[in-house]
Amino acid sequence: STVRVLAAIFCLAGRCLQTRDQQRAAVQCWQGALRVHPRCLEAFEALVRSPLQPFEEKEQLLQSCRSRCARGERGALSLFEAALRAEALRSGRGDRALAPPHSLERAQALFAAGRFVDAHLLGRVLLAGDPLFAPHLLLSLACMAALGKLDELFALAHELMTRQPRSALSLLAVACYSFCAGQRAQAADGGAKMRDLALSYLKRACQLDPKLGAAHFLLGHALAAQEESELALQAYRAAGRLLPAEPAVWLAMGQELLRVGHNALALQHLTQAESLGCARPDLANEMAVAFVRLGRLDDALALLARAVRLLEQQQGEAAAAHNGIYDQSVLASCPRNAFMATVRPS
């Protein structure tokens, strides 16, 4: 539309001015982009990163954008609010431990509910505010992997390896990229090589930090992709001991148990994931499969209907909130062995 084109022109002008060290003029361009298109994520991020934009001016800009938004669009402004809070924490205006629930906790809840696009958008501004905070990194890795954003995964892994080459989190990021790239290319010869590379990095990450639950979790996925069910379940159990309140861990264990035919036990794990707040369509689908195998067809039909409703709701909300920013085809469901990393630190 005309609004998006105009906002894109403002952003492009801002980038050009920034490369010529005309920072103040660049800030004005990004502000202009937000005034014509309040949901312009590129302008949000540029202003968050700009040291020349005073905190008070950012608050005023938020109020101006809110007054220009339609009621259905105001939810997108939570991204800018989260960015402001992240900057306040970084500059000493607040304590990270007192962060409101609609920042990191909100993003975690969105992820657990299967709203990966919303979680990713919020995670990006959180990561911009504090790029080395482990929960922000884990959240971003999980969202990028769930949405199949290999370019962003590669960039984040490269940045972490440059800054902290011996960190378990850096190795986890490289493994996450390698595993997702291998899954995308699993029909080609390179797919197996990338998954083997992911395994080697994951084993090193687990040795460096045995309490990093996300590393054990992804190790379980990598082993499951190679049909090493016993080893995969061992890795999932290790992740479960470290992260007992993480629904994705119980979902993964349930999926693997279902794959090897332990239907009743699988259903127990899937039900536990549901009780922890997981409301994703793939969970409902897996529970339906378990009920079919146990002969409970009425329960299976009800869960399949729920899976369809959740999927339609998920796609509809993403399309309404972001209107084409992301490829909606990635929202249909997550592949069986895609990296659904835990987003909480161990």
Side-chain angles (χ1 to χ4, degrees):
S1 68
T2 304
V3 169
R4 290 197 189 88
V5 171
L6 185 57
I9 292 173
F10 271 115
C11 289
L12 179 59
R15 290 200 302 270
C16 293
L17 290 166
Q18 186 181 37
T19 59
R20 300 179 64 180
D21 291 330
Q22 298 183 28
Q23 301 292 340
R24 176 58 61 182
V27 167
Q28 293 174 353
C29 287
W30 292 322
Q31 289 174 336
L34 283 177
R35 290 189 184 98
V36 299
H37 185 24
R39 294 180 298 169
C40 181
L41 183 61
E42 183 178 353
F44 279 149
E45 291 183 330
L47 287 172
V48 167
R49 294 177 182 274
S50 174
L52 297 182
Q53 178 76 350
F55 184 83
E56 292 74 15
E57 289 186 13
K58 293 178 184 180
E59 289 185 312
Q60 294 174 4
L61 180 61
L62 175 61
Q63 297 299 325
S64 174
C65 290
R66 183 180 289 112
S67 66
R68 296 171 65 89
C69 278
R71 177 173 297 179
E73 296 176 330
R74 290 176 185 170
L77 293 181
S78 62
L79 298 173
F80 199 33
E81 292 172 348
L84 287 177
R85 293 189 186 95
E87 181 174 334
L89 295 173
R90 185 176 52 181
S91 62
R93 288 184 172 91
D95 187 343
R96 180 188 294 134
L98 300 177
H102 45 282
S103 54
L104 177 61
E105 291 81 0
R106 172 61 176 164
Q108 292 170 340
L110 289 169
F111 185 89
R115 296 173 58 181
F116 305 131
V117 170
D118 296 304
H120 180 48
L121 289 171
L122 186 52
R124 288 178 71 176
V125 292
L126 290 171
L127 194 63
D130 195 346
L132 295 180
F133 186 37
H136 294 174
L137 289 169
L138 292 172
L139 170 70
S140 295
L141 287 172
C143 294
M144 291 173 190
L147 294 169
K149 293 187 169 296
L150 291 183
D151 290 343
E152 292 186 27
L153 274 172
F154 179 85
L156 181 56
H158 182 270
E159 182 178 358
L160 288 174
M161 288 298 290
T162 301
R163 292 188 179 192
Q164 300 175 331
R166 297 183 180 179
S167 164
L169 270 175
S170 301
L171 296 175
L172 175 64
V174 175
C176 180
Y177 167 76
S178 302
F179 178 72
C180 292
Q183 288 298 94
R184 179 170 292 185
Q186 54 185 317
D189 293 337
K193 294 179 180 178
M194 293 298 288
R195 289 193 295 273
D196 289 342
L197 181 64
L199 270 175
S200 66
Y201 276 105
L202 286 168
K203 290 175 181 178
R204 288 172 57 192
C206 291
Q207 290 173 353
L208 279 174
D209 188 355
K211 294 185 178 181
L212 184 58
H216 292 281
F217 189 43
L218 180 53
L219 179 61
H221 279 314
L223 291 167
Q226 297 187 352
E227 298 186 359
E228 297 282 354
S229 296
E230 285 299 323
L231 295 176
L233 287 170
Q234 289 178 18
Y236 288 145
R237 291 188 188 104
R241 287 191 294 270
L242 294 166
L243 300 154
E246 176 55 55
V249 175
W250 295 93
L251 171 57
M253 282 194 282
Q255 288 175 316
E256 191 59 25
L257 288 166
L258 195 63
R259 192 178 72 83
V260 296
H262 298 299
N263 303 316
L265 186 58
L267 184 58
Q268 292 179 18
H269 286 74
L270 296 171
T271 303
Q272 179 68 12
E274 184 182 35
S275 70
L276 290 171
C278 186
R280 287 165 32 188
D282 52 339
L283 171 62
N285 180 74
E286 296 289 345
M287 292 180 70
V289 172
F291 278 128
V292 168
R293 293 181 179 179
L294 294 171
R296 298 169 57 179
L297 300 183
D298 291 340
D299 292 328
L301 287 173
L303 280 163
L304 286 173
R306 184 200 300 177
V308 171
R309 288 195 304 272
L310 288 171
L311 180 56
E312 291 174 346
Q313 178 184 358
Q314 193 179 93
Q315 292 177 321
E317 288 176 352
H322 310 295
N323 199 14
I325 294 177
Y326 289 86
D327 180 1
Q328 299 302 315
S329 64
V330 302
L331 299 177
S333 63
C334 210
R336 164 64 185 88
N337 288 311
F339 175 35
M340 297 304 302
T342 177
V343 296
R344 295 178 178 83
S346 56

